[in-house]
Amino acid sequence: VGFCHLETYSCFGQRRGIAGLMHTLEERRLSAPVGSYTKRLYDDPVFLKSKLIEEAHELGDAATKAEVAAEAADVLYFALVACARTGVSITDIERVFDQRALKVSRRPGNAKPQHDQSKLQPATNVAAAVHAAQPPPPNKQAEPCAAAPCSSAPAAVNTNEAKVDAEQEED
């Protein structure tokens, strides 16, 4: 039951925070009480997916420190349920972070097209909206917009980064 001389998880007090939550989720996976919300999430992957999407959307809309903290906690709860459901531990997640930190370069990190909110919402910057509304003259490529960040500017390509990025996409 315990790992220290006090027969508790730690000599430094009870599990708290993310580690405590993950411990509870792992226990609930094995023996959830009747009516447990976590068990409902384990038993219904479609429901779990909808809650993950819902809470991620709410986190994206959160504006204040308190809202962001509350919504991030919700996202972490549902993400950890998904992890515990499939036997993924915090250590497994940390290992992925550590492996990624060793990579020399990264992919651009752009949103997948179906999740790219910048393509779905109208421009709030008037200069960017005017620039976006004007098509380039015939036989001429669009030039980068100096008034606002613009994705039409060509990115500098480092052949070593391109090679590493191509290897990452194969994974």
Side-chain angles (χ1 to χ4, degrees), residues 1-137:
V1 170
F3 295 103
C4 83
H5 71 286
L6 299 174
E7 288 301 313
T8 60
Y9 171 73
S10 166
C11 296
F12 304 103
Q14 297 297 318
R15 283 191 177 125
R16 299 179 35 168
I18 292 173
L21 172 60
M22 193 64 175
H23 179 75
T24 300
L25 293 174
E26 289 166 346
E27 285 180 343
R28 293 271 159 75
R29 184 170 53 104
L30 301 173
S31 61
V34 175
S36 164
Y37 184 69
T38 302
K39 177 149 177 46
R40 180 178 171 205
L41 292 166
Y42 284 145
D43 292 344
D44 189 347
V46 173
F47 179 57
L48 175 57
K49 180 180 178 178
S50 4
K51 292 303 293 181
L52 274 164
I53 292 168
E54 172 189 331
E55 296 302 338
H57 183 80
E58 290 176 5
L59 176 58
D61 290 341
T64 68
K65 182 177 180 178
E67 290 171 343
V68 170
E71 296 306 332
D74 290 346
V75 168
L76 285 171
Y77 167 74
F78 290 106
L80 292 175
V81 168
C83 290
R85 183 176 178 273
T86 56
V88 173
S89 69
I90 295 290
T91 302
D92 296 327
I93 297 166
E94 290 171 337
R95 191 173 298 119
V96 171
F97 283 138
D98 292 343
Q99 289 170 347
R100 289 180 181 173
L102 296 175
K103 294 189 178 183
V104 176
S105 67
R106 311 277 186 273
R107 294 184 301 199
N110 299 331
K112 292 179 180 175
Q114 70 268 30
H115 299 293
D116 190 349
Q117 294 295 307
S118 67
K119 305 265 192 272
L120 302 176
Q121 298 176 355
T124 55
N125 181 313
V126 175
V130 170
H131 175 73
Q134 297 174 351

Side-chain angles (χ1 to χ4, degrees), residues 153-159 161:
V157 176
N158 176 326
T159 56
E161 288 179 7

